[in-house]
Amino acid sequence: MTKFSFTFHRPDPNSRARLGRLETPHGVVETPAFIFCATKAAIKGVTSEQMQAEGTQFILSNTYHLMLQPGSDIIHKAGGLHKFMGWKGPMLTDSGGFQIFSLGHGSVAEEIKGRRNSNRPRTMLKITEEGAKFKSYINGQTYLLTPERSVQIQRELGPDFVVVLDECTPFHVDKRYTARSMHMSHRWAVRSLEEFRRHDDDTQKLYGILQGGVYEDLRLEACDFVNNQDFFGHAVGGSLGASKSQMYDVVAMTMANLREDRPVHLLGIGGVQDIFNGVRHGIDTFDCVHPTRLARHGGALVRPENNPKPAREHIVLTNSQFREDYTPIEPDCSCHTCRNYTKAYLHHLLKAQELAAYTLITLHNVNFMNRLLAAVRQGIADKNLDTVEKSWVPEKT
């Protein structure tokens, strides 16, 4: 009997927003849910135990980084990622493709996120039908990552969910390139699926990725492809456009054409407004480095009513206005930080460059995202998602 299942229901017949239950060998995820990025088998600055204490259901790690350091064989010998990093809940790994192509092209990651400039060195050597050849950013060693090797590495890493290898294209490439890349990614996906089946022991499930850029006919073709492959779930990937409105259009059109019996993940998106938009179209899970990265720059996520600038999602605790503010980041927050420390203390830690600052603000931001998704689930259940959204999304200027 399978250890995996996904069930859902829509409390509001007039909305595509849905409540799901994703069962895995390492626990149940109530969806919609946020997946935190433990890129190198760690959430920067906090422990796995702290993540769970703040209500985290689900985390992901990065195949590209872990294959280079410490190596999937080391993690496999440790008993897999769960034992290696002391995480007791469900996990997902990506295929490594996004990092190969974003680091390799030097600017793809920024362009997918809407930022065009990057000074990163280019490590991509060659993309062929066989796979992606690239140089390690650690020691310059050359690697070839094929669809088969990506699945093999993810099997050694041992997460609950693994992802097919795909080429991730930026939005500045033309439709012809996007189509050619998508078709190659589909062939890679078939190879990934075949490799996965060869060693399938029901300890993992495979997600297929939807490419196609901003082009409706290509996205529809990608939907048709994944709908007819034996994937457990789907991940909406690739370039989602150069603006929020374009991203929302791509997500809406894609979700309207995906089969409904599988969980759907939206790759790399985690803004508060973006989550509400995705949920309304039936997205089940989201991931983004933003909440934890923001914390390392002194940014704390807050609801509009707790923000002196209600048009923003966060406050910047290095600002002088918090030097003598002896209140918590949010008065109604249950996180470890808000229960024990003030904005004045956090401001001091940041100014003194004490590492505890980054841990404490990260814990708050993790709790914030988990509270946000809990509120979203309750809003779906109560059929008042509009009201919930108003209390979480920053005011429009």
Side-chain angles (χ1 to χ4, degrees):
M1 185 176 178
T2 183
K3 302 170 186 174
F4 293 88
S5 68
F6 176 68
T7 56
F8 73 91
H9 69 285
R10 290 193 173 97
D12 186 347
N14 298 313
S15 172
R16 290 183 57 83
R18 61 187 191 176
L19 295 173
R21 180 179 173 86
L22 183 59
E23 296 190 13
T24 81
H26 291 93
V28 175
V29 178
E30 301 293 338
T31 66
F34 189 82
I35 306 178
F36 292 91
C37 299
T39 302
K40 300 177 182 179
I43 305 288
K44 287 181 173 61
V46 301
T47 66
S48 295
E49 292 81 5
Q50 288 174 311
M51 290 295 293
Q52 289 185 306
E54 298 300 341
T56 301
Q57 299 189 80
F58 206 164
I59 65 173
L60 68 80
S61 285
N62 186 279
T63 295
Y64 171 82
H65 289 290
L66 293 177
M67 69 179 280
L68 300 181
Q69 169 63 40
S72 58
D73 57 330
I74 298 293
I75 294 173
H76 181 64
K77 289 174 184 175
L81 277 169
H82 289 90
K83 289 185 178 178
F84 192 58
M85 63 183 294
W87 174 254
K88 295 179 173 61
M91 284 193 75
L92 176 147
T93 49
D94 59 15
S95 68
F98 178 81
Q99 285 69 32
I100 289 173
F101 296 112
S102 63
L103 292 173
H105 292 303
S107 62
V108 177
E110 284 72 20
E111 293 198 0
I112 288 169
K113 302 293 186 182
R115 301 187 294 274
R116 296 198 177 207
N117 297 315
S118 175
N119 295 317
R120 286 176 174 167
R122 300 188 177 198
T123 57
M124 170 61 65
L125 299 178
K126 195 174 184 181
I127 306 168
T128 66
E129 190 70 31
E130 185 180 8
K133 185 179 286 188
F134 65 98
K135 289 192 298 185
S136 166
Y137 68 93
I138 297 173
N139 58 17
Q141 181 178 341
T142 299
Y143 289 82
L144 174 66
L145 188 65
T146 65
E148 292 82 4
R149 185 62 186 137
S150 174
V151 170
Q152 291 162 8
I153 291 169
Q154 291 181 82
R155 182 162 296 284
E156 290 185 330
L157 294 175
D160 301 276
F161 300 108
V162 304
V163 179
V164 301
L165 182 67
D166 65 323
E167 181 187 3
C168 192
T169 57
F171 64 70
H172 74 269
V173 299
D174 61 22
K175 183 176 181 180
R176 186 176 176 183
Y177 184 96
T178 303
R180 188 167 66 246
S181 170
M182 182 190 75
H183 291 137
M184 184 182 70
S185 289
H186 288 174
R187 294 189 295 273
W188 283 5
V190 171
R191 288 165 56 190
S192 297
L193 186 55
E194 289 173 350
E195 176 63 27
F196 181 81
R197 284 173 176 156
R198 271 193 277 273
H199 304 282
D200 185 7
D201 59 0
D202 204 35
T203 60
Q204 296 179 313
K205 290 297 180 184
L206 184 66
Y207 272 60
I209 293 186
L210 288 106
Q211 288 286 351
V214 298
Y215 306 104
E216 182 173 5
D217 57 336
L218 296 183
R219 285 284 176 178
L220 293 178
E221 187 177 345
C223 289
D224 185 60
F225 171 78
V226 297
N227 283 342
N228 288 288
Q229 297 296 322
D230 189 23
F231 298 124
F232 177 83
H234 299 151
V236 180
S239 172
L240 298 173
S243 65
K244 274 191 185 294
S245 61
Q246 193 172 31
M247 177 177 76
Y248 292 171
D249 288 344
V250 171
V251 170
M253 176 262 298
T254 301
M255 291 303 296
N257 290 280
L258 278 180
R259 55 189 290 174
E260 295 189 333
D261 58 331
R262 297 174 177 174
V264 183
H265 179 70
L266 184 57
L267 286 158
I269 302 299
V272 175
Q273 188 173 18
D274 303 337
I275 286 174
F276 278 97
N277 178 78
V279 162
R280 291 182 188 284
H281 292 293
I283 296 288
D284 302 295
T285 52
F286 305 80
D287 82 88
C288 190
V289 299
H290 176 66
T292 49
R293 178 179 287 170
L294 180 68
R296 299 194 298 277
H297 291 86
L301 293 164
V302 295
R303 290 164 58 191
E305 66 184 59
N306 297 320
N307 198 333
K309 297 179 179 179
R312 301 187 68 182
E313 287 186 358
H314 68 277
I315 58 174
V316 181
L317 289 164
T318 53
N319 289 350
S320 59
Q321 71 189 95
F322 301 115
R323 188 167 179 262
E324 296 183 52
D325 188 332
Y326 302 107
T327 63
I329 296 172
E330 290 192 291
D332 54 351
C333 176
S334 60
C335 80
H336 173 78
T337 303
C338 288
R339 285 186 284 110
N340 293 282
Y341 303 100
T342 66
K343 292 194 282 285
Y345 180 62
L346 296 169
H347 173 85
H348 155 66
L349 292 181
L350 290 165
K351 290 296 185 181
Q353 297 185 327
E354 289 288 346
L355 296 180
Y358 311 116
T359 295
L360 292 172
I361 302 170
T362 297
L363 290 176
H364 168 78
N365 285 357
V366 167
N367 185 287
F368 177 94
M369 294 303 296
N370 288 329
R371 282 187 290 127
L372 165 63
L373 271 297
V376 166
R377 293 192 295 272
Q378 193 62 54
I380 296 172
D382 295 340
K383 304 179 187 178
N384 66 348
L385 197 57
D386 288 347
T387 302
V388 173
E389 182 174 3
K390 289 175 183 176
S391 67
W392 286 88
V393 172
E395 297 176 4
K396 294 181 179 179
T397 54

